[in-house]
Amino acid sequence: MCKRLKLASSREIGLFPRHLHKSFINHGMAETRGKFDFAIDRGGTFTDVFARLPDGRERVLKLLSHDPQNYRDAPTEGIRRILEQETGLSFPRDQPLDSSLIGWIRMGTTVATNTLLERQGERTALLVTRGFKDLLHIGTQARPNLFDLEVRMPGVLYEEVVEVDERVVLRQDGCQLPRKEPKRIVTGSTGDRLEVWQELDLQCVERDLKAVLSRGITSLAVLLLHSYVWPAHEKAVGSLARKLGFTQVSLSSEVMPMIRAVPRGYTVCADAYLTPKIHQYLNGFTTGFKGALKDVDVLFMQSDGGLTPMEQFSGSRAILSGPAGGVVGYAVTSYNSSENKPVIGFDMGGTSTDVSRYAGQYEHVFEATTAGVTLQAPQLDINTVAAGGGSRLFFRSGMFVIGPESAGAHPGPACYRKGGPLTVTDANLVLGRLLPDFFPHIFGPGENEPLSTEETIRQFQLLTHDINHFLYTNQSQHNGNGAGQSNSDGPKGCKSEMSVEEVAMGFIRVANETMCRPIRALTQAKGHDTSQHVLACFGGAGGQHACAIARALGMKTVFIHKYSGVLSAYGLALADVVEEVQEPCSLQYNEDSYSELDHRIQELTQRCHSTLYQRGLSSSQISTAVFLHMRYEGTDCALMVNASDYPAHAQSCQSGDFRTAFTKRYMKEFGFTIADRPIMVDDIRVRGSGKSGIKSVTMAIEGHGSPAPTKMIKCYFEEGYLDTSVYMWEDLSCGHSIEGPAIIIDKNSTILVEPGCSAQLTSSGDVCIAVGTDSQCVLGTELNTVQLSIFSHRFMSIAEQMGRVLQRTSISTNIKERLDFSCAVFGPDGGLVSNAPHIPVHLGAMQETVQYQLKAIGSSLKEGDVILSNHPCAGGSHLPDLTVITPVFWHGVSGPVFFVASRGHHADIGGITPGSMPPHSTSLQQEGAVFTSFKLVTEGVFQEKAVTKALLAPAQYPGCSGTRNLHDNLSDLRAQVAANQRGSQLVGELIDCYGLAVVQAYMGYIQSNAELAVRDMLKEFAHRQQQQTGSLEVEAEDQMDDGTPIRLKVQINEEEGSAVFDFSGSGTEVWGNCNAPRAITLSALIYCLRCMVGQDIPLNQGCLTPIKVIIPPGSILQPSQNAAVVGGNVLTSQRVVDVIFRAFEVCAASQGCMNNVSFGSEKSGYYETVAGGAGAGPGWSGRSGVHSHMTNTRITDPEILEKRYPVILQHFSLRPGSGGRGRYHGGDGVIRKLLFRSKVVLSVLTERRSTRPYGLHGGQSGSAGLNLLHRADGRVLNLGAKTTVSLEPGDIFCLHTPGGGGYGREEEEDEDGNPSPSKRQHLNEAFTERGSVFEYRRAQESV
């Protein structure tokens, strides 16, 4: 990633530090005595060079990656400079370098990442199975940002699509389709049998490909369904395309043969799009050398942390080429196998920070998203977060905010003298933690000036003035804030004026907390204790933050390698050559399959050995590791398992006891195993490694005691200004001990040793810091805006950690894999404080549930009690969402001081249909078991008998059943109790640290912060509305398909920033199940307010404080106690959003439906929601084929769907023209056709089949949806919006989802100052987040 802004570095640094003497061991391919060896990391801003000289000395060099006035290519220039300086010979820039002096070159590069970010790849066409031309546009159908109405998503990488007539389907034993003609039966690589329903017509393919070539497109990506298991059709297309003249042909079956067409399709497109550009770069690089480096061993780093020959370096494996070198660097240099102490890698650059983990093995992910493209390839699990040296500083609605926007290299931070904004780097400079005297004069327009402390202080003074003005003007509001004061009577109000240093220190603390959260998530997600890790710090900016972050996480040791500023380059020199092979599998792991698995493992191992032999490695250098991608049958939670620690025996594969390895790891990560459940093997992977890295042994000159500092300065800490010693790293010797506060400087980085910490130079010349414990927190109840931001992070972290426990300990697919749950923290009044993740239909709803319990049974609650509730009148959304509430008590206080709660969607709780979401229910009892204020745990005892009886109770009603999966219900309820217990424990730890009065006071301040943001938005809207219309009242109306109106009138008070939302006039309760409980309307309202605020705010009780909501009892929005509500949760909620946005004229209506489709039989069941069109708005057209507003569910991949269920997906594409026309068009809906292979019962629960999504300001309405059934006998039936129907084999369900409304009249011109979509995109550019923590959050928000 292009974020390596080394803020404490010069353009170039020189010789190996003089305090070290050197011996070295050459190993394998690294043995090139008498020649120069180079390891080079070409980053986005700087290029780092590590060189090993013929005499064994080492050099490091840093230069700008782009300096066209002086050189064409930075890596070549780095090699040239070292050769020239070390040999005394002249190597003119305009002539190729003499490569005979070079032993090997190893490189990591951000070329692929930058190409992807900037969308500057090769012109590419996609060839795909007919019916799926828009498959990769639709993708998972989830939007990346819940509250972004524009739904900004990167475009696809191809510019043309060729659909081909071919189709292969998996055979199913129970298939009952009539056989009209014999079909060719083939056997796939997994042993699965397939039927070729339509043979490939190469003549038609040739015609289409020639047409593509005629338009100048020479790169082709090929994606055919089920090619991962049977690639014959893809290979035929590939052979033809190469003959026709395509210069790059990427086949999905070769790039990554794994099931799931969508990520495999993204991966093959990325390969076709990026590989030609990589080859162009490589060709340009090699032409800078005589003989084009023909006799030099040139290796490139791949995303998986292994080196590969230059010729094999491809786009899909190159995305993390740069950061991967750093991971290898810290893994090799800081992990001690004898101590077995795991390490957290902390690479802080300019734009963002990379976090990773190493515990003896590299941690890989096999599907990750970069720049909006999901790649299915082995990648190191590198998590990128928005807090780098160049991250911008903001003060918003009373909170200190870091990023995600970055100042970049140009203009850079304010201190760079180029008109840049305040950044984290500027905060460190103001505090005295960066010393301009030790920086080169490379700043300013002429790049010849020092860092500007003056400009940084000037901007901080302005920001400090704004902050103090806020504190002064809001003091009266906070003095009157009663939130959280019920159990304390400490002082209230705002802190006195802040100084520039306090403001800068506040931003540093918030930045540190921002970086701590993903480290906690990365470790705790897999059951590891964060505090039992070493923090390995590298990157130019990390040394200034390492001690504080380690202390906050409870870590005792910080390790900083002597090459920390260029560790990614050094890691390349230490890395191994790697060859990975993988193929799909479809076997149960049992005695019957061991011989087959052993045979296939042996074949893959031989392929690895053969390839590495050909690359010049000997057998003594080669080792292989075998991995099986394993999961319990019927689940999607697969683990890539290595059995090296579990030796083979008679009841296992020859490569190890994979069953034990799998169950042990499953237990560690998820807290349980599933006894007697078959274990499936989805993929076999062999990773071959050729030991070829250098082994450097460095010895530092010994010293004793404390060294003499270079100078003394004043540096600002929590205690104020302290005398701080400054040392030059090169002056230190082994054994020297440095007590904090101190600063250690070399030419690559600045290390801050904080008070209470001590640093020592190791025998290898590295810095090891012992981190002291944090002093006891001392904080008053008055508002401190810095602590406000810190507490906001802490409360969110509690909710996030609760979610991790729930996901780990639950057993059902809905909670464990679909992540359909929310966890939250509430105040003593039941008001929401923090909620994670942000599932729209859960926002604010749990608050209603907690407050209902307070009114109903609050006085009887005791420590050890846990409440279960799902009733709509008690704040429930729909019955399958079970809410578990735990009161948090504190000694000396009679009532609960906080509440924690978790809401999870249970797959079945009884009722008239499996899944407890019947499309035709007319009473609540038909929808499943009901809990109002049920004590699930009484004084610490889980009430299993009572809750079992209640879950089976629906069977007493006609046509109903009790829960159909009692075991999963009980297991998940226990998991929810455990998650709440964790939340209660974390709240207790927070109170232990700060005191109850302080924690409750800041709970109130956080709620006030959200309130302030909403008030500001309402004031701004009221002012604009008053100017345009002279009125402060807005209203809107829309209808359900049955004609039931949803009416809203909003009266706004501009002075207060408050509003009354009056839904009077809305229709009465309906006979069906589209009644929406009050909690659903509140969730929709909070969602709309957050979208209109337009920036990140805490989503808590404060959002609704300025709002009065009037809902008439007995209406569709507040039905009677026994009304059916399942459709209200998934359908009416969308209409409420449409009405609110219509009143505020925010945007046109989106599809207004979740398109709920389910089918099943006695053997299995399936449920999905389907995307449609998003509404257009001022400055943007609506996104096509995406979920909108109150849902964001991912759709099942076509290959998974066809493998597991009796259905063939015949068609899945956009529905052209269904979006409303206008100045900005509404997004198109989709067309989805399902062919059923056996008898099933189909249920559809949809809306917008008779009413159309409205357009705005002259824009046209989107098309209504349509549900068609094509009977096998030729009849075509309109099913209507809601129905249940029995289907026969051969029947086809065809779903046409609604489009979004258009915005503005089609003939209107752009108004002056109205940004175009492209400009809007540019203005919102920020860093690219990635890693397993990011993917987990995305998955949580996609339900």
Side-chain angles (χ1 to χ4, degrees), residues 140 223 228 258-265 367 376 1194-1195 1197-1200:
T140 67
L223 172 66
Y228 73 97
M258 292 182 73
I259 191 172
R260 295 178 68 223
V262 170
R264 196 171 75 251
E367 187 175 309
Q376 198 177 41
R1194 298 184 183 191
I1195 200 160
D1197 189 88
E1199 291 175 343
I1200 295 288

Side-chain angles (χ1 to χ4, degrees), residues 924-1141:
L924 191 66
Q925 289 72 24
Q926 294 175 332
E927 296 177 356
V930 179
F931 301 90
T932 304
S933 300
F934 183 90
K935 283 200 175 182
L936 181 63
V937 178
T938 302
E939 297 184 22
V941 180
F942 187 81
Q943 304 296 303
E944 182 170 344
K945 288 185 179 180
V947 74
T948 298
K949 181 179 178 182
L951 286 166
L952 296 174
Q956 65 186 291
Y957 299 103
C960 294
S961 166
T963 179
R964 299 165 181 87
N965 201 341
L966 178 63
H967 177 264
D968 281 10
N969 293 138
L970 295 175
S971 296
D972 286 351
L973 285 172
R974 286 192 176 93
Q976 288 179 258
V977 172
N980 288 7
Q981 180 62 31
R982 177 60 174 160
S984 178
Q985 175 190 344
L986 291 169
V987 169
E989 291 175 3
L990 202 60
I991 296 172
D992 270 337
C993 182
Y994 292 98
L996 177 60
V998 171
V999 175
Q1000 288 190 332
Y1002 275 92
M1003 172 205 72
Y1005 295 143
I1006 290 169
Q1007 292 170 333
S1008 297
N1009 175 256
E1011 174 189 344
L1012 179 63
V1014 172
R1015 289 188 186 276
D1016 287 345
M1017 181 274 293
L1018 290 172
K1019 289 177 182 178
E1020 182 182 339
F1021 175 81
H1023 179 73
R1024 189 169 63 249
Q1025 183 73 8
Q1026 181 75 45
Q1027 287 186 324
Q1028 293 175 354
T1029 67
S1031 172
L1032 291 179
E1033 187 175 283
V1034 295
E1035 58 184 344
E1037 178 181 335
D1038 208 339
Q1039 293 183 336
M1040 303 294 288
D1041 276 349
D1042 64 1
T1044 302
I1046 308 290
R1047 294 195 179 103
L1048 171 65
K1049 183 178 291 185
V1050 183
Q1051 183 71 43
I1052 304 172
N1053 185 318
E1054 181 178 0
E1055 183 179 351
E1056 294 181 356
S1058 62
V1060 177
F1061 282 68
D1062 187 354
F1063 288 93
S1064 297
S1066 296
T1068 61
E1069 176 183 323
V1070 298
W1071 171 247
N1073 57 28
C1074 283
N1075 303 293
R1078 175 184 172 86
I1080 292 296
T1081 301
L1082 296 183
S1083 296
L1085 180 54
I1086 288 183
Y1087 167 80
C1088 293
L1089 292 171
R1090 167 61 182 84
C1091 290
M1092 291 189 285
V1093 166
Q1095 66 186 41
D1096 283 337
I1097 61 171
L1099 293 175
N1100 55 42
Q1101 173 181 262
C1103 293
L1104 293 180
T1105 299
I1107 308 296
K1108 179 181 179 181
V1109 181
I1110 300 173
I1111 304 175
S1115 70
I1116 189 174
L1117 302 183
Q1118 192 168 330
S1120 61
Q1121 190 166 359
N1122 292 316
V1125 297
V1126 67
N1129 183 63
V1130 297
L1131 298 177
T1132 312
S1133 61
Q1134 297 281 45
R1135 195 68 74 258
V1136 173
V1137 171
D1138 287 342
V1139 171
I1140 295 171
F1141 282 153

Side-chain angles (χ1 to χ4, degrees), residues 863-885:
E863 191 163 4
D865 289 350
V866 179
I867 309 303
L868 172 63
S869 181
N870 69 344
H871 198 293
C873 290
S877 49
H878 63 167
L879 296 187
D881 280 346
L882 298 183
T883 303
V884 175
I885 305 162

